[in-house]
Every structure is written in structure tokens, then in C-alpha cells.
Amino acid sequence: MNTEKDFSPLTPNIVRALNDKLYEKRKVAALEIEKLVREFVLQNNSTQIRHVIQILAAEFALSQHPHSRKGGLIGLAACSIALGKDSGLYLKELIEPVLTCFNDSDSRLRYYACEALYNIVKVARGAVLPHFNVLFDGLSKLAADPDPNVKSGSELLDRLLKDIVTESNKFDLVAFVPLLRERIYSNNQYARQFIISWILVLESVPDINLLDYLPEILDGLFQILGDSSKEIRRTCEVVLGEFLKEIKKTPSSVKFADMANILVIHCQVSDESKLTNDLIQLTAMTWMREFIQLAGRVVLPYSSGILTAVLPCLSYDDRKKSTKEAASACNQSLMKLVTPEDDDEEEVVQPGDSQLQEDSLPKVQDSLDNSLNASQDSVGFSTISFFASTNNDRPQVTMDLDGIVQVLDRHLHESSTGMMTRIAVLKWLYHLYIKTPRKMFRHTDSLFPMLLKTLSDESDEVILKDLEVLAEIASSPAGQTDAPGSCDNAESKAELQVPASAKPVQPGSKGTDCSPSTPSMNSYFYKFMINLLNRFSMERKLLEIRGAFIIRQLCLLLNAENIFHSMADILLKEEDLKFASTMVQTLNTILLTSAELFQLRNQLKDLHTQESCTLFCCLYRSWCHNPVATVSLCFLTQNYKHAYDLIQKFGDLEVTVDFLMEVDKLVQLIESPIFTYLRLQLLDVENNPYLIKALYGLLMLLPQSHAFQLLSHRLRCVPNPELMRAAPQTRPSGSVRPAPCHVDYGELLEHFDRVQSKHLEVRHQRAVRAEQPDRKLVL
């Protein structure tokens, strides 16, 4: 430094001492400067005071010489001490050179700068608040300083500044938030700790409403929540917890819209191996749950994005039990918001009910939107907007049904979707068909194939929920007209003659919420039956393993008579005769053995109404694909003479091992509780001669197996007709079977012959192809 330069009013002795390498000499010089400035203060000579500060800043603090810089820093601190309460008039000149030294490469110099600033701030107190941003910016850098002494000094200054902010009511939060939003994305642990500590302090000050600016820092808080330091994570949890408490207290003033996108993104974990990600996801899901409960129905327009985040969490195991429970609560709360009013054709969003804040999160908004769009796969989920109603009038909202359906459909298609998620998806679809059937039928054609495919799921519970959805589609009154979304397939529009006696399913049979089924069902009912049989035809394993289970459940959900009537009608036109025979055998077993079919069996037992006769004839024509099943149907309907006539024709059929096994099963069924009435009718020999003949016919068909012994023993128990004739006729009048309706049994026998001829021809052709040697072309 040029010692000959004029530094007045500083004396040459002061200048030399400020440039000295010894701290003690610089301290003496500082005391001289303090004395000098005090004189200027007494004289009210601001010009000289400003001149002294300028010299100390430009010639010393910003000098190239390290000792001069140290002297300048202690001199500036001395000026501040001398100025006392008047230091606020010169803070800009005092602070700026000191903050410049925060970036010095010499750690000792950075420490002296921190010490000088501490003295300046301690004297000025609240007067430094207009300069808070530059002080905060400088401190945030020192918080990550590698030198422990510098870091220790910055912590003292930080505590002092926090005390000042806490005591003051003039803190400019609006000016500070942009800086906070920028600094919150630091990856340095010390910087993060510094930031989160300041947010905690500001949140605790009653006069500072940081909640209004939470959307701008919420994403950064979730980033900090993933820090590797346990202490930082714990502090961040406390901060987020305090914010959530405040949100619950004052929901009407919360900017839900600007934060919902952030929560959706953080509810989705990209790397499940990180424990910190579990914490982020659980916290975000907890916030989402509270948002849905506080905001109410106005979240419906944005529910597709919420479901995108929530549904995958429902399949978590016990390791992430808390997240799963929070997601389940979100899912349930969101589902309850859907009501029949959402099925209105025209819905208007009232001005002011929802709005989007375009200026939120300038730094991260683009990345948030891009990330969200990627996670949605073009679901159509735009920026989420939540608003808590401030009055008792519930605002009208438009539910994003298209987006919801796309999200649900995508989760059904994805093979990686967990079982509980698939169940939740199906519950959502069922709920939507119950609450908004008219709108949902617009999506039915796109959903239908996947719902049918889901019947092959490994989980019985998934299949049950899937059947509930399909049953609702098939029975909902909203599907009775050929509106958009109804079947356009000519085959599926074929008229189905449903018996007039078919009764609607009782509301309680399908759950708490259900729409009334109608005897005629709707256009999707027949389409469903056609596609279900086609699926059984293509997936024989599905028919073998789950066929009976699926049909029995459908009989509970829908009208059993409708199901059997429609399937018989479809199978009558089936070209794959082997499948038709297998399917008839399956249906016949269900009819004769399932508790769910008790009412239908009773209806067929006595053909005393035209409706029951019509149903019998319909079933009979399809049952002809399987001769033994046809005989069992005749036994069920007490058509014993016709059963005997059919058995007489068995001599012309190809008797195979499978055929004999079916006869064996029929004998077992005759001994079951289902045919108790048939066995009792063997007592009335005179009135049931064809029953006995039919049973003897079955006996003659059987080889001398266990079934033969069983039936033979039963027939030996038939009483002597002579003895029965001698007994008085005491049959109660009520036990007399009513006269059956007119049935053309001759025509039915002809139909049986035609069907069996087709089966014989097909078997013959199959045998010929099997025996014919392969012919190869010889070139």
C-alpha cells in the first residue's frame, strides 16, 4: 500500500497500524478509528463519517494486501460501534465490503469478515432487516464453509440474525421468498441445515405468514427430506409437520392448487431401494390425504393424477405399511367424493371455484409439469387445483372421468400391477358405474375386453370384483338403449328372449350401492355372455379351473335364469361341438349341484307354467350336445318317459370311456340330496314306470363297476308293485304333480337325433384326419 497517499482524516499512525501483520496493532488502530468517528458523530459530521467508511472499504477491506484487508474489516466494525444507533444510516457502506470478504480464499480473512459483520449487526439490530437478503445470501455460503472456525463464527452471526428477525415485526417476507426458493435446492448438507433452520424460525414467528408462500418452497422441502443426514431429515419433518398443522387450522386460506402437483410427484417413488424415498413418499401421501379431506369435491377434476400416485401404493407389503394405509385413506376419501350428481350431462364450473396459479414455482414448475405428464402417459391430467369452500354452498365441479378411466384402464393392462391395486381399480370402476352410469357407458367398449381378460387373473378376489363390474355393466338400466358406448356388434345385438318370470336382483345382493337390475338386462348382457363363452372356448384351462366359480358368482350377481337361458341360446349356434358338449356338461353340473341354483332347480322341477316349459325347451336344445346331461335334465324336470326314450337311443351312439364316466357321475348325482324327490318317487311304482325303466336303462349301459353296484342296489329296493297296489291309496292331494304345460317331445327327440348326428359326423371326420398319413410333396 502507498503509505504516502492521503488517507485523512485517518492519521498516518492509524494507517500504518491497520496495515500491520499483528492483530494487536490493528486492534489499537481500530480503537483510534472508533474515537475519531465518535467525534464526528458529536459534530454531526456525516460527510466525514462517510469518508472514513469509504477509505476503510476501498483502500483497506478491498485491498490486494491480506493484512490491509484484515485492518479494513476491524476498522469498519469500529466505525459501526462508534456510530451506535446511527449505524443504520451507513449500513450499506459498512456491509458490502465485509460481505465481499466472505469469498476470500484465506480462511482467516473469512473469519475476520464474519467477526466484523457480527459486530456491525449487533449494533444495528433491527436496522439491518432492509439488508436481510444480502446478509442471508452471505451466511448461506459460510454455512457450508470447510473451515471449522469460519463455520463457528457464521453460526454465532446466524443466531444473532435469527434473534433480530424473531423480535421484529418489519421483516420483508415478500422480498425474501425468492432467495429462499433459490437457496433451498442446495445439495450441501450444511447449507440445507441452514435453510431448514431458518424456515423453522420464520414459521414460528406469529407476525410472519410463511404459509402463503409454502407452494414456492414445498418441493425444496421434500428434496431436503431425502437428505442422508438423519438430523436434517428430522428437522425437515418438524417443519413440514408445523406447516400441516397450520393448514388444518386455516384451510380456507391455503393454496392447495399450487401444491398438489408437487405432492403427486413425491408420492411416486422412482428408487424404492432408498429409505429416504420411503419417508418422502409417506409424508407426501399423508399430505395428500389431508388435502383431499380438507378440499372436498373440488379435487374431483384432478383425481386422475391423484390416482396415478395412490393406486400403486395399495400393493405395498408390511415394510411400507404406513404408506399403504395413507394411500388407502386417500383412495377411500376420493371415492366418497363421487356422487350421482357427477352423472349430469351438463356441469358448469363456477368462476372462482378453481383457478391455476401460473407464477408458482418458477424454478421447478417446468420440471414438475414434465415429470407429471410423463407419469400420466397422456392421461390428460393438467395442473391440479384444490380449493376449500369458504361458504356452505358446495360449488359445482366437473369430474375428470375420462382421465380417471384411462388411469384405471392402464393399471389393469400393466402386468406389474399388484393384486390390491387391481382390486382397487375394479372397485373404482364398479363405483363409477353405480354413481355415474350414463357417462361410464361411453367408455364401456374400451374397458370391456380388458375386464373379460381379467377373468383369467390368479386371484379369486380380483375375479370376484371383476365379475361385479361386468354384472353391473350387463344389468345397468343405463345400458338398455343404443347410446354411444352400447354394442355395435350385430351378433351381440341379437334378441334374447328372457322369460317374463325372471326377477330383478335384490339390491342387497351386489353390495351397499347398486342400481336395480331389470329382467331383460341390457344389450351388454348378451354381449357379455357371448364373450364369456368365447373366452372359455379359447382358454379351456380357464373353463376347467374357474368356469364353475365364475358362473356361480354370476348367478348370485345377476338372474340365474337369464344366464342359463342366454348361454343355452348361444351354445345352440356353437360350431365347435366338442366345446359345446364340455360347456353343457359344466352348466349341467352347476345346475344340479350349486346352492346358488336352488330357485332355478325348483322352477324346472315342475313344468307347470309356460315360462318354465319355455326355459326347459331352451336348455334341452343345447343340452342335446351332451346326451347324459340331457337325460339328467329330464330327471330334474321329471320328464321320465322322455328320459327313457332318450336312453333307448343311446344304443345308436358311440359309447366311449368319457361317456361312461358321465353316466357314472349321473348315478352318483341320483344318490345325492338334489334327487331326493326322484328316489322317493320310486315308491310309486304304478305312476312312475318310466322312471324305473330309465334307471334300468342306465344300469344296462354301465359296466359292472361301483356305479353299477350302487344303482343296482337302489333298484333292488324298489317295492313290489303288487304289494303297493294292495295298500290303500292315501297319497295327499297336494303331492299330485300338476299337469305339465304342452311340450312337443317328439320334436325334441328329433332335435336330439340331429345334434347327435352332427357330433357323430364331427368325430368321424376327426378320426379320419388322425388316421390319414401325412403326405409330403416330392420335387
Side-chain angles (χ1 to χ4, degrees):
M1 175 177 284
N2 186 0
T3 56
E4 296 180 359
K5 191 174 181 180
D6 184 16
F7 293 104
S8 59
L10 299 181
T11 64
N13 289 334
I14 293 176
V15 172
R16 279 195 301 272
L18 286 177
N19 287 316
D20 200 280
K21 65 179 180 178
L22 295 177
Y23 172 76
E24 293 299 328
K25 290 187 178 181
R26 294 196 301 271
K27 186 174 181 181
V28 171
L31 292 173
E32 291 298 322
I33 293 172
E34 181 181 344
K35 188 184 301 183
L36 181 65
V37 173
R38 286 186 191 276
E39 293 176 1
F40 290 145
V41 171
L42 292 174
Q43 298 168 6
N44 199 22
N45 191 344
S46 60
T47 303
Q48 285 290 66
I49 294 173
R50 210 170 292 277
H51 187 52
V52 170
I53 294 174
Q54 186 178 359
I55 291 172
L56 290 171
E59 302 297 335
F60 289 89
L62 301 179
S63 170
Q64 297 297 321
H65 195 278
H67 298 313
S68 298
R69 292 200 294 274
K70 295 173 184 176
L73 289 171
I74 198 171
L76 289 171
C79 287
S80 177
I81 293 170
L83 288 168
K85 63 180 181 180
D86 293 333
S87 63
L89 301 172
Y90 309 94
L91 277 177
K92 188 174 186 297
E93 294 90 339
L94 290 168
I95 289 173
E96 286 184 353
V98 178
L99 289 175
T100 302
C101 293
F102 276 11
N103 299 318
D104 199 284
S105 58
D106 185 353
S107 61
R108 291 288 298 170
L109 197 64
R110 295 198 302 273
Y111 175 77
Y112 285 133
C114 188
E115 184 182 51
L117 189 58
Y118 178 86
N119 288 319
I120 293 170
V121 172
K122 185 176 181 180
V123 171
R125 301 297 294 184
V128 302
L129 290 178
H131 308 278
F132 179 80
N133 276 16
V134 293
L135 294 174
F136 183 88
D137 183 49
L139 270 176
S140 66
K141 296 173 183 176
L142 289 185
D145 198 284
D147 187 272
N149 292 324
V150 176
K151 193 180 299 180
S152 176
S154 70
E155 289 173 358
L156 288 173
L157 177 57
D158 179 54
R159 283 198 291 271
L160 174 62
L161 203 55
K162 284 174 180 174
D163 290 340
I164 294 171
V165 170
T166 305
E167 296 167 358
S168 174
N169 58 0
K170 297 180 180 179
F171 183 73
D172 189 356
L173 186 61
V174 176
F176 172 61
V177 166
L179 177 62
L180 177 62
R181 183 180 60 212
E182 178 187 347
R183 289 286 185 265
I184 203 169
Y185 286 100
S186 172
N187 290 324
N188 184 278
Q189 283 191 355
Y190 297 108
R192 282 181 165 183
Q193 195 169 28
F194 172 77
I195 291 290
I196 200 69
S197 67
W198 265 103
I199 294 175
L200 188 60
V201 167
L202 294 175
E203 173 61 14
S204 65
V205 178
D207 294 332
I208 297 177
N209 187 13
L210 192 57
L211 186 62
D212 287 344
Y213 303 92
L214 181 58
E216 302 192 50
I217 62 172
L218 184 61
D219 179 67
L221 285 173
F222 274 104
Q223 299 284 353
I224 294 176
L225 191 61
D227 194 273
S228 57
S229 168
K230 187 176 181 180
E231 183 180 351
I232 293 175
R233 292 199 306 270
R234 188 184 298 114
T235 307
C236 191
E237 280 188 88
V238 172
V239 170
L240 287 168
E242 291 299 318
F243 275 123
L244 192 56
K245 287 179 184 177
E246 196 170 344
I247 288 172
K248 292 178 182 179
K249 290 178 182 177
T250 58
S252 59
S253 61
V254 177
K255 297 177 181 178
F256 291 105
D258 303 330
M259 294 184 280
N261 273 352
I262 301 168
L263 295 182
V264 167
I265 290 173
H266 289 292
C267 280
Q268 303 173 63
V269 174
S270 57
D271 184 2
E272 294 189 5
S273 63
K274 290 187 177 180
L275 294 177
T276 53
N277 280 343
D278 293 346
L279 177 61
I280 292 173
Q281 188 181 33
L282 173 59
T283 307
M285 196 66 70
T286 303
W287 277 57
M288 182 70 77
R289 179 188 63 201
E290 298 298 336
F291 274 28
I292 294 172
Q293 293 175 354
L294 293 170
R297 274 182 53 81
V298 290
V299 305
L300 285 177
Y302 322 104
S303 47
S304 59
I306 299 172
L307 285 175
T308 299
V310 166
L311 287 173
C313 302
L314 300 177
S315 292
Y316 286 166
D317 55 26
D318 288 343
R319 290 175 297 176
K320 302 174 78 172
K321 184 179 179 181
S322 298
T323 304
K324 180 179 179 179
E325 289 175 351
S328 179
C330 287
N331 186 55
Q332 293 297 325
S333 298
L334 191 62
M335 188 178 290
K336 289 177 182 178
L337 297 179
V338 182
T339 64
E341 69 184 65
D342 295 307
D343 205 26
D344 294 340
E345 291 299 327
E346 297 294 334
E347 291 178 331
V348 180
V349 178
Q350 297 293 337
D353 286 342
S354 63
Q355 53 186 329
L356 300 178
Q357 301 294 330
E358 298 179 353
D359 58 344
S360 64
L361 296 174
K363 178 176 179 179
V364 297
Q365 188 64 54
D366 292 340
S367 63
L368 287 178
D369 291 340
N370 293 336
S371 178
L372 183 61
N373 291 334
S375 69
Q376 293 294 322
D377 291 337
S378 304
V379 168
F381 173 71
S382 58
T383 307
I384 304 182
S385 179
F386 293 64
F387 286 85
S389 177
T390 55
N391 52 43
N392 295 327
D393 298 327
R394 185 165 59 180
Q396 287 184 321
V397 295
T398 302
M399 182 174 65
D400 179 23
L401 185 62
D402 293 350
I404 291 175
V405 171
Q406 288 184 46
V407 171
L408 298 176
D409 187 49
R410 187 175 71 245
H411 278 91
L412 275 184
H413 275 84
E414 291 177 355
S415 58
S416 59
T417 301
M419 182 189 74
M420 297 307 298
T421 299
R422 296 199 299 276
I423 291 172
V425 167
L426 293 167
K427 284 183 177 179
W428 258 103
L429 290 173
Y430 179 75
H431 186 69
L432 292 172
Y433 271 108
I434 293 294
K435 299 297 183 182
T436 60
R438 288 186 296 171
K439 288 185 176 180
M440 278 301 294
F441 266 93
R442 300 170 185 169
H443 301 278
T444 301
D445 280 341
S446 61
L447 290 171
F448 208 66
M450 194 61 218
L451 289 171
L452 286 166
K453 185 178 179 181
T454 306
L455 291 174
S456 302
D457 197 276
E458 296 178 355
S459 167
D460 286 349
E461 193 172 352
V462 171
I463 294 175
L464 282 173
K465 295 301 176 185
D466 189 38
L467 289 172
E468 286 185 13
V469 178
L470 288 166
E472 184 59 34
I473 291 173
S475 62
S476 174
Q480 289 187 355
T481 58
D482 290 335
S486 62
C487 347
D488 5 60
N489 185 310
E491 183 185 14
S492 63
K493 284 187 176 182
E495 183 179 359
L496 175 61
Q497 301 296 330
V498 181
S501 62
K503 298 179 181 180
V505 177
Q506 296 300 319
S509 65
K510 290 195 291 179
T512 307
D513 299 319
C514 71
S515 61
S517 301
T518 59
S520 59
M521 297 294 135
N522 59 38
S523 55
Y524 274 99
F525 175 77
Y526 201 68
K527 182 178 182 179
F528 176 29
M529 293 298 106
I530 290 173
N531 282 277
L532 179 59
L533 289 175
N534 285 340
R535 192 148 198 89
F536 284 151
S537 177
M538 292 184 293
E539 293 186 42
R540 299 298 174 86
K541 191 174 182 181
L542 174 64
L543 174 60
E544 179 184 343
I545 298 174
R546 296 286 177 78
F549 171 74
I550 290 172
I551 295 170
R552 287 170 57 192
Q553 293 303 318
L554 283 176
C555 288
L556 289 175
L557 295 166
L558 297 169
N559 187 278
E561 181 179 348
N562 288 344
I563 293 170
F564 272 76
H565 198 298
S566 60
M567 285 190 170
D569 186 57
I570 297 165
L571 287 171
L572 192 60
K573 306 162 190 174
E574 177 61 49
E575 295 181 357
D576 186 345
L577 299 184
K578 185 175 182 180
F579 166 71
S581 177
T582 303
M583 194 67 223
V584 164
Q585 184 181 3
T586 302
L587 290 171
N588 186 65
T589 302
I590 296 170
L591 176 63
L592 294 178
T593 61
S594 299
E596 296 85 355
L597 277 298
F598 175 78
Q599 186 176 353
L600 186 59
R601 285 197 296 271
N602 279 349
Q603 183 180 339
L604 287 168
K605 188 184 293 184
D606 296 313
L607 301 179
H608 59 277
T609 64
Q610 186 57 50
E611 289 80 6
S612 60
C613 289
T614 302
L615 177 61
F616 165 72
C617 291
C618 176
L619 296 180
Y620 180 94
R621 294 178 186 280
S622 291
W623 260 233
C624 286
H625 284 297
N626 189 295
V628 179
T630 313
V631 170
S632 66
L633 179 64
C634 291
F635 282 155
L636 176 66
T637 56
Q638 304 184 62
N639 282 300
Y640 302 135
K641 182 179 185 307
H642 194 69
Y644 172 71
D645 293 338
L646 286 174
I647 293 172
Q648 290 292 98
K649 292 180 175 292
F650 283 7
D652 299 328
L653 302 179
E654 182 182 1
V655 179
T656 62
V657 174
D658 290 339
F659 177 88
L660 292 175
M661 288 178 65
E662 290 179 30
V663 176
D664 190 295
K665 290 178 182 177
L666 176 55
V667 171
Q668 302 292 336
L669 278 173
I670 291 172
E671 294 297 321
S672 70
I674 298 294
F675 282 112
T676 299
Y677 68 91
L678 180 147
R679 297 195 299 273
L680 288 174
Q681 287 172 355
L682 291 174
L683 295 173
D684 191 357
V685 179
E686 289 190 347
N687 290 312
N688 295 293
Y690 286 103
L691 170 59
I692 299 173
K693 288 185 177 184
L695 293 177
Y696 269 108
L698 290 179
L699 187 66
M700 295 303 107
L701 286 171
L702 286 168
Q704 295 196 18
S705 59
H706 174 71
F708 177 89
Q709 299 296 334
L710 195 65
L711 184 54
S712 175
H713 183 71
R714 173 64 64 182
L715 289 172
R716 284 199 298 270
C717 295
V718 174
N720 188 322
E722 295 297 329
L723 294 176
M724 298 303 289
R725 190 180 298 118
Q729 298 295 323
T730 59
R731 178 191 296 175
S733 59
S735 66
V736 178
R737 184 184 177 198
C741 298
H742 174 70
V743 175
D744 188 347
Y745 290 101
E747 192 275 333
L748 293 180
L749 281 174
E750 292 177 2
H751 177 77
F752 178 83
D753 290 339
R754 289 195 297 272
V755 172
Q756 292 307 311
S757 296
K758 288 182 182 179
H759 278 270
L760 185 61
E761 182 180 351
V762 169
R763 283 197 293 269
H764 176 71
Q765 292 175 353
R766 192 181 298 122
V768 169
R769 286 196 299 270
E771 293 177 1
Q772 187 174 6
D774 294 337
R775 294 179 179 178
K776 297 182 181 179
L777 292 176
V778 179
L779 298 178

